[in-house]
Amino acid sequence: MPIKVRLTVMNFIQFFIWGSWLISLGGYMGSQLNFSGLQIGSVYSTMGIASVFMPGLLGIVADRWVNAERVFAMAHFIAAGALIAATRVTDFQTFYVLMLINSLFYMPTLALSNSVCYNVLTRKGFDVVKAFPPIRVWGTVGFIVAMWIVDLLGWTKSTHQLYVAAGAGLFLGCYAFTVPPSPPFLDETRKKSLISSLGLDAFVLFRRKNTALFFVFSLLLGAALQITNAFGGPFLDDFKTTYPDSFGVRHPNLLLSISQISETFFILLIPFFLNRFGIRNVILFSILAWVLRFGFFGLGNPDDRLYLLVLSMIIYGMAFDFFNISGSLYVEKVADSKIRSSAQGLFMIMTNGFGAIIGGYGSGWVVDHFTGADGTRNWPSIWFTFSGYALVLAILFLVIFRDNDKTIKA
């Protein structure tokens, strides 16, 4: 099998695992395990906890001592085992611990997957910049396919979604041993300090006002990234009494997957928007898109206002891509070449790490705040609260962030 095809399969399964449960697990926890909003949010925050330090730690292991593909494989084996164990428990404490273990070992594989691909492509003489994007896009396809499979088989409220993810994880762990080896670059990595290996040397960027503000907004906006992942499913499930035969209630994952499909299209628009409007305005568009994302959720329903939910899914592509990808390009511009990798790691820590932790617990608290004594959730108030939060961020960003460099290109 050609090496590009082999790496494409690896990326497809990597994100197939995540797509099997990320969007639908909140519905399972709410409807089958009767977890509170704060409990659901805290389970999703485990991914943020893991993203703060585990990619760096396993990255050090792969850089200094063990082949990256072997670390990648073992991490998937452990994560899959935790998912299988989670299917057998119903109490929150045990479920939380098992999902935390899963996150601690799955989240680093996102970076390790890229590392293996870069390493293999480089050793085979490919131009990574040209060869990797067509490989990586199949990861998004895998995520969407997993969502559809779980939905069409009726497993969105079942532990079967975790079995699907675990089975794919075990397969990928075995598959990784067939990929060409990615040994440590011993001479280069042993010269790096532990602080540098963990990406902590990038904190020097906080000395610059605009860059410091950017990272603060990265954290605050990162809090929005997991909200609909955690509560999109429970939101649609709560319409089962009023619109039981509606498309969104019967096929929540199919409806929510429009968000991921939208991502693939908005990525293509980033170069035009950066050249036309500059980095500051593109990030501002992203924050305003979050305002609309949550606002349309608050106004919509899966029956006569289904179009508002569809609009929310479409606008998600702008909300997600325009910040994550444009933000990554901004970091690439402002960071010195010696700390670029660390700076990118810091960007991920702020958004997917601390931001996700704040978003998980904060969104859970908001959901519980608007939940009545009978367990009925006031979803319009919940979504409008999130929309108001994004609007405040947009106003603050407009007022205090000034860098609008139009030389940053995708």
Side-chain angles (χ1 to χ4, degrees), residues 14 46-47 50-51 53-55 58 71-82 97-112:
Q14 172 71 35
T46 61
M47 292 179 283
S51 297
F53 65 93
M54 281 300 286
L58 290 193
V71 178
F72 178 79
M74 294 308 300
H76 271 297
F77 289 147
I78 297 172
V97 170
L98 290 171
M99 292 307 297
L100 175 61
I101 294 172
N102 171 71
S103 294
L104 289 173
F105 288 93
Y106 176 80
M107 297 307 290
T109 65
L110 296 172
L112 286 170

Side-chain angles (χ1 to χ4, degrees), residues 342-380:
S342 299
Q344 294 294 339
L346 177 60
F347 178 57
M348 295 301 294
I349 288 173
M350 298 300 283
T351 54
N352 294 343
F354 294 121
I357 295 171
I358 294 171
Y361 283 101
S363 61
W365 180 86
V366 170
V367 170
D368 284 345
H369 179 75
F370 289 106
T371 300
D374 60 351
T376 303
R377 297 183 177 110
N378 184 348
W379 284 111

Side-chain angles (χ1 to χ4, degrees), residues 56 177 246:
F177 286 104
S246 63

Side-chain angles (χ1 to χ4, degrees), residues 251-263:
H251 298 289
N253 267 22
L254 293 186
L255 177 59
L256 292 167
S257 71
I258 298 174
S259 297
Q260 279 66 45
I261 296 172
S262 173
E263 282 184 50

